[in-house]
Amino acid sequence: MTTAQPSTHTDGGSRPVIIEADSVTKTFSTPDGRALPVLEGVSFHLAEGEIVALLGKSGSGKSTLLRCAAGLISPSSGSVAYRGTPLNAANPGVAMVFQSFALLPWLTVQQNVELSLRARGVGREERRERALKAIDLIGLDGFEGAYPKELSGGMRQRVGFARALVVEPDALLMDEPFSALDVLTSENLRSELVGLWEGHEAPVKSILIVTHNIEEAVLLADRILVLSSNPGRILAELTVGLPRPRDRRTPAFETLVDNVYGLLTGREERPPEPAVAGEKAARPAATPTTVPLPQASVGGLAGLLEILLARGGEDGLAEISDELNFEIDDLLPLVDAAVMLGLATVSDARLALTDEGREFTAADILTSKQRFARLAATRAPLVRAITQALAATDDGTLRESFFLDLLQRGFSAEEARRQLDVAIDWGRYGELFDYDADDREFVREPGGAAQP
Ligand code: ADP
Ligand code: MG
């Protein structure tokens, strides 16, 4: 439903611009009142006739950016315009699809779909007709009277799509709409969406999709905006010139996927890693909040390195993730951890073991633990901070709240907890310290593997 005035504002290819974000910055507050910068200076546009993907790691601010584009939250600075008019309320030209479906359980499929029209003041008869048409279009024929709990995940998300499409929005905004579905169901729904889009049957003029899945972005989008993390900025914009439907197995497709892998695994703007040999400590700039720990367990990290060793010590990231059936969200934290600890390097989307990484992987368990302890205590800022703080105590114990408070200066409460959990895993493996879950405190390991 196009409610705003048509605008002559166009993109470079003279297509009317539907949404334009200009230097959007969003800062949240942490529980102790400090600023948490989530988006910084993000500018992009969405024009008629295009599908744009916002791609980034988990926590990079994708959902926040999408909510700004929908006018559900306002940027801390910068602005979002809909057809040339700056937003100061919900964007009238968009409809959204969420990962969690967000259906009302006490309403039938048809009632759920009609709900978005009711909110827009559409009369009863027209509501019915349009809802039935949308339900038909998205393959829900026969399920009009069913309740959400009677439907599979895939069918529920079809209701999510019907509810968005029924209003015929200028822009369809989707937040990881396929990531709660199993592989086959999501593949199926994605290709149906592409079919509707290509056949001009979908009553939308543009699509903005948020995803952490590189292949999904390359399958669907005309342009991919790659977001960096902490804070989210636009790292790169890629044009995907491939005809649809797209085949994952073509060299052009694989090259694009490789390029994006390379961008997302780049070290972004972090300081260069210090050399391992003789290194006492990482650079002063690397603190637990400026260089967060990747969400990687030591077990997962060791597994990745073993696979890499079995593959000759080096392989393409796309090949590794294919082989393991991993999504980027699963693989990237392990890669980031390997790079942080100096066990592997990434270049041109290829992961290669360092000498340190080879020795770590080939060594017996005690030697591996000692090597890991040394690397973690020098190169992982939070592990280093905990180890040093414990060394400075009289009784060798420290409450976890001490570190949680520190972490909450840079992270949300949930992220602070996640950071601490990773540090506990790493510190325990290296026998640098132990964690007492009953007393919620860290305990020094005086005779651990760190001091061979
Ligand atoms: P993504 O969708 O890329 O995973 P989000 O936009 O959901 O990322 O979140 C980015 C960061 O902003 C996260 O660290 C998250 O904890 C934080 N965040 C999101 N919403 C809020 C909020 N309302 N208040 C405080 N922090 C938030
Ligand atoms: Mg999100």
Side-chain angles (χ1 to χ4, degrees):
M1 189 163 53
T2 313
T3 50
Q5 301 295 318
S7 161
T8 50
H9 191 52
T10 57
D11 72 352
S14 77
R15 291 180 302 185
V17 169
I18 295 176
I19 295 177
E20 178 143 37
D22 183 19
S23 313
V24 168
T25 292
K26 184 72 187 178
T27 304
F28 289 115
S29 313
T30 62
D32 70 348
R34 282 167 194 265
L36 176 67
V38 170
L39 294 170
E40 197 170 276
V42 175
S43 301
F44 73 91
H45 72 271
L46 178 71
E48 279 190 17
E50 64 175 353
I51 302 181
V52 172
L54 286 172
L55 178 72
K57 297 180 192 176
S58 162
S60 57
K62 304 180 295 297
S63 296
T64 303
L65 187 54
L66 203 71
R67 293 213 300 277
C68 288
L72 299 177
I73 55 174
S74 50
S76 308
S77 70
S79 62
V80 178
Y82 167 63
R83 292 200 180 267
T85 308
L87 290 178
N88 45 30
N91 190 330
V94 308
M96 294 186 78
V97 177
F98 302 94
Q99 175 181 0
S100 58
F101 320 139
L103 306 177
L104 298 182
W106 58 88
L107 296 183
T108 64
V109 166
Q110 171 140 6
Q111 289 166 336
N112 264 288
V113 175
E114 280 191 28
L115 201 61
S116 20
L117 292 175
R118 196 187 272 257
R120 293 177 191 229
V122 177
R124 192 177 176 166
E125 201 42 41
E126 187 185 341
R127 264 192 341 246
R128 214 182 86 81
E129 269 170 38
R130 285 172 64 176
L132 287 174
K133 211 170 114 201
I135 286 170
D136 218 6
L137 181 74
I138 204 73
L140 279 167
D141 223 2
F143 289 89
E144 295 84 355
Y147 287 91
K149 66 168 186 294
E150 303 174 65
L151 304 176
S152 66
M155 294 302 269
R156 281 183 209 170
Q157 191 55 303
R158 283 174 195 265
V159 183
F161 274 102
R163 189 184 46 192
L165 294 176
V166 75
V167 303
E168 307 189 356
D170 261 2
L172 179 64
L173 269 42
M174 307 197 283
D175 195 349
E176 314 224 14
F178 307 110
S179 56
L181 307 175
D182 64 78
V183 178
L184 286 178
T185 305
S186 57
E187 193 70 23
N188 181 238
L189 212 46
R190 251 194 308 265
S191 45
E192 284 188 32
L193 181 72
V194 169
L196 290 177
W197 175 256
E198 283 295 291
H200 303 285
E201 290 168 82
V204 296
K205 296 204 177 69
S206 62
I207 296 178
L208 182 62
I209 177 170
V210 155
T211 179
H212 66 261
N213 182 324
I214 297 178
E215 292 205 348
E216 178 168 289
V218 179
L219 273 172
L220 295 179
D222 296 296
R223 285 190 292 134
I224 302 175
L225 304 173
V226 184
L227 274 187
S228 64
S229 307
N230 296 310
R233 297 193 190 98
I234 303 234
L235 199 63
E237 176 183 329
L238 290 95
T239 302
V240 185
L242 309 172
R244 295 189 187 92
R246 293 172 181 160
D247 183 351
R248 293 169 193 261
R249 284 151 310 185
T250 59
F253 191 97
E254 286 175 356
T255 303
L256 265 166
V257 171
D258 276 353
N259 287 347
V260 183
Y261 260 112
L263 283 167
L264 280 175
T265 51
R267 302 314 293 151
E268 295 174 11
E269 282 158 59
R270 287 182 195 165
E273 302 296 323
V276 174
E279 192 72 32
K280 288 276 185 305
R283 310 174 118 222
T287 70
T289 49
T290 59
V291 181
L293 300 181
Q295 293 297 310
S297 68
V298 179
L301 173 64
L304 175 70
L305 298 178
E306 268 173 41
I307 286 163
L308 198 57
L309 189 67
R311 290 169 156 249
E314 186 182 338
D315 204 352
L317 285 165
E319 284 76 20
I320 298 172
S321 96
D322 253 12
E323 169 105 333
L324 299 177
N325 247 317
F326 263 19
E327 295 251 337
I328 175 183
D329 251 20
D330 303 322
L331 188 59
L332 281 189
L334 299 177
V335 171
D336 283 347
V339 172
M340 171 184 269
L341 294 171
L343 296 166
T345 56
V346 176
S347 100
D348 291 335
R350 293 182 70 76
L351 185 65
L353 284 175
T354 58
D355 289 343
E356 189 79 34
R358 280 178 190 278
E359 287 165 23
F360 169 79
T361 309
D364 61 76
I365 181 82
L366 186 64
T367 316
S368 300
K369 274 175 174 271
Q370 286 169 352
R371 286 180 176 273
F372 184 86
R374 182 169 51 76
L375 294 172
T378 49
R379 304 178 57 127
L382 180 55
V383 177
R384 186 182 67 224
I386 295 171
T387 310
Q388 288 178 349
L390 281 171
T393 60
D394 288 336
D395 67 348
T397 67
L398 267 175
R399 303 173 76 84
E400 71 165 15
S401 55
F402 173 72
F403 296 105
L404 277 175
D405 285 352
L406 286 175
L407 288 168
Q408 286 184 14
R409 295 180 186 178
F411 301 115
S412 65
E414 306 84 71
E415 181 58 25
R417 182 71 248 172
R418 283 197 290 268
Q419 286 289 315
L420 214 55
D421 287 340
V422 173
I424 290 170
D425 180 59
W426 292 19
R428 276 183 171 156
Y429 181 82
E431 295 178 32
L432 290 161
F433 47 79
D434 200 358
Y435 172 74
D436 183 334
D438 294 329
D439 296 340
R440 296 182 165 270
E441 61 181 23
F442 288 91
V443 184
R444 187 167 60 204
E445 287 261 7
Q451 287 89 12

